Amino acid sequence: MSQSQTHNIYRGDLDPNKGYLCQWVYWRPDPDAPNPELPGLKQTMTTYITVKPGDLCLCGSGLRFRDCCRARPYWHPLCPNPDAESYSLLAPQEVTFKNVNIQRVREQLMEDVRLQCVDDLGDHAFWIYWGDPALDTPPFGTLCFGDLELKRNSTLYVTAMSDLRMQILLALLRDVLGEEFKPTPIRYDPVTVIDKQTGKHVKLRLGKSTSRS
C-alpha cells in the first residue's frame, strides 16, 4: 500500500505501518452530581503513537515493530497498562464470581485504596480500578484500568481491556476475597481492528475462553 493510499483510507498521517492506535479510558467529574468531585462520566479516547520499524513493539512481545504489529494484516489497537508507561494489545474480557456474599465483598472492596466506588446502592455497587496512586491526567480525567460491578443476584462482574489488566484485577480479588475467589473462565469479547488493505473495521474474536484462576 502506498503512502498516498494509506492517507486516503486513514485520513491524515495515521499510517498503520508507522504507528499504533491506543485507546484510553477516563473518568471525569460530573458537574450535575451531588458530589461533583467524584468522577461520574466515562470517556474513551483514541490516540496515534508513532514508532520506527526497528523499535521494540509496544504490544510487549519483545519483537521489533517491523517483525510484529507492522507485519500483521490488521491494525490492532493498544491500551495503556496501569503503570502508564507500557502497553498491551486491546483484548476486551470479562470474569464473573457467582454466589458471593454481597455484604462482605462490598465492605472489602470499599476498603481497597486501588478501587473507587462510583455507584453505591447498598446491594448494588460499581467500582473502577485506578491503581495506587490514581493517575490524574488533566483535563481528561483519571485513568481507568478496569471495572467491577456487584449485583443483587450475588454476582460480581469484572471487566478489563487487556490480559495484563485482568491479571492485575484477579490478583487484587484473590487477596480481597480469599476463599470466595472462584472465578468462572474468562470470556473474551470481539475487538474492533482495522484491515490494513481496505481500511474497514473488522470484529476480531480472540482465542477460546480460558481460566485464569
Side-chain angles (χ1 to χ4, degrees):
M1 180 182 295
S2 69
Q3 185 169 344
S4 61
Q5 288 175 317
T6 298
H7 286 183
N8 287 337
I9 292 175
Y10 300 107
R11 298 181 182 180
D13 297 324
L14 305 187
D15 188 338
N17 295 314
K18 295 182 179 180
Y20 310 82
L21 294 177
C22 184
Q23 188 174 110
W24 307 73
V25 179
Y26 302 93
W27 278 83
R28 303 179 62 187
D30 183 354
D32 298 323
N35 184 354
E37 294 184 0
L38 292 178
L41 302 174
K42 201 170 188 178
Q43 181 179 33
T44 299
M45 294 182 61
T46 301
T47 60
Y48 178 69
I49 303 174
T50 58
V51 66
K52 297 179 179 178
D55 291 346
L56 286 176
C57 201
L58 290 184
C59 75
S61 66
L63 300 174
R64 301 295 176 183
F65 176 60
R66 61 172 172 261
D67 301 318
C68 191
C69 282
R70 181 179 179 179
R72 290 177 176 156
Y74 298 113
W75 201 9
H76 193 137
L78 303 168
C79 63
N81 293 327
D83 62 8
E85 297 179 356
S86 59
Y87 304 86
S88 295
L89 287 177
L90 203 65
Q93 52 196 274
E94 178 181 291
V95 169
T96 61
F97 293 79
K98 298 181 179 179
N99 301 316
V100 301
N101 184 318
I102 292 181
Q103 182 176 355
R104 177 173 173 270
V105 170
R106 177 183 174 280
E107 290 176 353
Q108 291 179 311
L109 294 182
M110 287 293 188
E111 293 176 357
D112 198 299
V113 296
R114 295 166 290 183
L115 303 174
Q116 175 64 45
C117 183
V118 295
D119 188 15
D120 181 16
L121 298 176
D123 58 351
H124 174 267
F126 192 93
W127 294 264
I128 58 174
Y129 176 73
W130 279 358
D132 185 19
L135 299 173
D136 293 316
T137 53
F140 305 113
T142 303
L143 277 172
C144 172
F145 299 106
D147 301 329
L148 298 91
E149 184 176 13
L150 183 62
K151 292 193 173 182
R152 296 180 179 87
N153 62 356
S154 300
T155 302
L156 177 66
Y157 296 90
V158 182
T159 57
M161 298 301 290
S162 73
D163 290 334
L164 179 60
R165 291 187 185 186
M166 181 60 78
Q167 291 170 11
I168 291 173
L169 282 171
L170 292 183
L172 180 153
L173 291 171
R174 188 179 292 112
D175 293 339
V176 171
L177 301 182
E179 295 181 356
E180 293 189 58
F181 186 81
K182 298 178 182 179
T184 62
I186 291 178
R187 181 178 66 84
Y188 283 89
D189 295 325
V191 59
T192 300
V193 298
I194 298 177
D195 187 308
K196 292 182 179 179
Q197 293 298 317
T198 66
K200 293 182 178 180
H201 289 77
V202 178
K203 290 287 187 180
L204 181 66
R205 183 169 290 279
L206 302 177
K208 295 180 179 180
S209 297
T210 57
S211 177
R212 301 294 180 86
S213 60

